C-alpha cells in the first residue's frame, strides 16, 4: 500500500535501470520451497521484514503462484523489498528477479534500504519507473506479484507527486511483459463497490471486481483465487492504515494467467 513516508517528487523520464552490484558470494544451489523456508527462518534476516510474515504468509503465497527454479519474476512496487530475496530463493541461481519501484518512492532511507537488499540478493536487479507509466520488456517474465499496491493505480496525490494513472494501460503493459502462459498474482485490501477512485483516496481499498475486470480487459484469464489472506473480522469500513486493522485487513488474492496463444 502507499508509503506515507515519501514527500518529494523526483523526475525521471522512462524506466531507469539501476545497475546494482551483486553479492560477491557465490550463489547457493539451494532453491525452491525448502530454500524459501530456510530464508524465512534465517536469524540474520531483517526483523522488520520478519514482522510481516504472519500477515503475508510468504511460503503459501509463493506456492500458490507456482514459482519454480529457473523462472524470471517481477516484484512489482517492491517497497521494502520484502518479496525480492524470497523470490530469488524460490527460482534459484538460474532464475532472476526484477524489483520494480516507483521513482516517487525511491529516495532517502527507503532508497538506501532497497539498494542494499537488492545488492545482497544474487540474481536480482532493481528498476525504477514513473508511477503513472510502467512498462517492461516484452515477454520477459514467467511470474509477477502486485502485493497491496494495485489499488494505488486509482490514486493521485499532489503531496507524493503521483499523477493520474490509467489502470487498464498498466494491465495491458503487464500483459505484454509476461511470457505466454505467465502468471500475475494480485493481492489487495478488499473494499466495497462504488466510486473506485474515491474509495482508494479515502480507505486505500478496492472492490475485487474492479481488479478482475481490469485484468480480463487486458486479455488475462482468472485461473484461481484463494482465501489464504482473508479476514472475516474486517468489515471493510476502515482505512487500511487505521491501527485497529493495519496488517490485518481482509485481502483477496487472484492468480491471472496470460493465455499461451
Amino acid at each position: 500500500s502507499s508509503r506515507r513516508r515519501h514527500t518529494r517528487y523526483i523526475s525521471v523520464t522512462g524506466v531507469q535501470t539501476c545497475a546494482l552490484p551483486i553479492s560477491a558470494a557465490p550463489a547457493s544451489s539451494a532453491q525452491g520451497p525448502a530454500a524459501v523456508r530456510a530464508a524465512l527462518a534465517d536469524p540474520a534476516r531483517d526483523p522488520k521484514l520478519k514482522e510481516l510474515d504472519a500477515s503475508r504468509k510468504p511460503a503459501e503465497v509463493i506456492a500458490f503462484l507456482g514459482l519454480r527454479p529457473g523462472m524470471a519474476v517481477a516484484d512489482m512496487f517492491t517497497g521494502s523489498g520484502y518479496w525480492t530475496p524470497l523470490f530469488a530463493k524460490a527460482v534459484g541461481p538460474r532464475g532472476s528477479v526484477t524489483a520494480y519501484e516507483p521513482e516517487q518512492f525511491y529516495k532517502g532511507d527507503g532508497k538506501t534500504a532497497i539498494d542494499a537488499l537488492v545488492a545482497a540478493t544474487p540474481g536480482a536487479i532493481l528498476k525504477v519507473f514513473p508511477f503513472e507509466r510502467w512498462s517492461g520488456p516484452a515477454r520477459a517474465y514467467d511470474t509477477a506479484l502486485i502485493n497491496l499496491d494495485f489499488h494505488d493505480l486509482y490514486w493521485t496525490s499532489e503531496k507524493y507527486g503521483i499523477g493520474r494513472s490509467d489502470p487498464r494501460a498498466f494491465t495491458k503493459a503487464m500483459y505484454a511483459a509476461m511470457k505466454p502462459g505467465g502468471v500475475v498474482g494480485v493481492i489487495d485490501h478488499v473494499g466495497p463497490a462504488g466510486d473506485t477512485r474515491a474509495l482508494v483516496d479515502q480507505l486505500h481499498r478496492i472492490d475485487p471486481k474492479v481488479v478482475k475486470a481490469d485484468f480480463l480487459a487486458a486479455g488475462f484469464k482468472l485461473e484461481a483465487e484463494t482465501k489464504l489472506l482473508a479476514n472475516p473480522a474486517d468489515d471493510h469500513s476502515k482505512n487500511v492504515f487505521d491501527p485497529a486493522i493495519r496488517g490485518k485487513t481482509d485481502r483477496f488474492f487472484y492468480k491471472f494467467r496470460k493465455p499461451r496463444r
Side-chain angles (χ1 to χ4, degrees), residues 223-239:
E223 179 170 285
E225 57 185 293
T226 176
K227 297 292 188 181
L228 174 68
L229 303 172
N231 177 13
D234 176 10
D235 66 6
H236 309 156
S237 67
K238 295 182 177 65
N239 186 294

Side-chain angles (χ1 to χ4, degrees):
S1 194
S2 308
R3 292 81 158 175
R4 299 274 173 128
R5 65 179 183 273
H6 303 289
T7 58
R8 188 166 54 90
Y9 178 79
I10 298 175
S11 178
V12 179
T13 302
V15 175
Q16 173 187 352
T17 302
C18 296
L20 300 176
I22 297 300
S23 172
S28 168
S29 60
Q31 56 194 297
V36 172
R37 290 193 295 271
L40 290 170
D42 185 349
R45 187 161 167 253
D46 186 340
K48 291 182 180 179
L49 298 183
K50 284 187 175 183
E51 290 175 2
L52 299 172
D53 292 349
S55 65
R56 296 196 175 187
K57 301 183 180 179
E60 294 91 335
V61 166
I62 287 172
F64 184 72
L65 290 173
L67 292 192
R68 299 189 306 277
M71 282 186 165
V73 183
D75 178 11
M76 304 300 301
F77 305 92
T78 189
S80 66
Y82 175 91
W83 291 102
T84 290
L86 301 178
F87 288 162
K89 288 293 185 181
V91 301
R94 291 184 295 117
S96 65
V97 182
T98 303
Y100 282 99
E101 179 69 347
E103 65 187 25
Q104 288 94 327
F105 302 142
Y106 185 63
K107 62 194 74 175
D109 292 343
K111 177 182 184 300
T112 300
I114 190 60
D115 281 357
L117 186 147
V118 174
T121 303
I125 63 169
L126 176 66
K127 291 188 177 183
V128 179
F129 66 98
F131 193 104
E132 310 89 340
R133 299 185 304 280
W134 182 83
S135 64
R139 298 188 172 198
Y141 303 114
D142 297 287
T143 308
L145 179 66
I146 307 167
N147 182 70
L148 304 180
D149 278 294
F150 187 84
H151 70 269
D152 283 328
L153 293 169
Y154 284 91
W155 182 54
T156 59
S157 172
E158 183 177 352
K159 180 178 180 180
Y160 297 106
I162 296 174
R164 189 179 180 93
S165 297
D166 179 351
R168 294 208 173 179
F170 176 86
T171 56
K172 184 177 179 180
M174 286 294 309
Y175 188 90
M178 302 308 296
K179 297 178 183 179
V183 163
V184 178
V186 183
I187 298 169
D188 220 325
H189 311 281
V190 178
D195 182 327
T196 302
R197 291 187 184 272
L199 174 65
V200 170
D201 189 58
Q202 182 181 5
L203 301 181
H204 279 274
R205 296 175 179 268
I206 192 166
D207 179 356
K209 293 179 181 177
V210 171
V211 177
K212 188 185 300 184
D214 286 345
F215 275 85
L216 296 182
F220 287 97
K221 304 298 182 185
L222 178 60
E223 179 170 285
E225 57 185 293
T226 176
K227 297 292 188 181
L228 174 68
L229 303 172
N231 177 13
D234 176 10
D235 66 6
H236 309 156
S237 67
K238 295 182 177 65
N239 186 294
V240 301
F241 298 105
D242 187 316
I245 199 65
R246 187 169 188 171
K248 300 174 287 187
T249 54
D250 186 22
R251 301 170 190 180
F252 61 90
F253 187 3
Y254 287 149
K255 180 178 179 179
F256 297 98
R257 189 178 294 278
K258 178 177 179 175
R260 295 186 180 277
R261 44 165 299 204

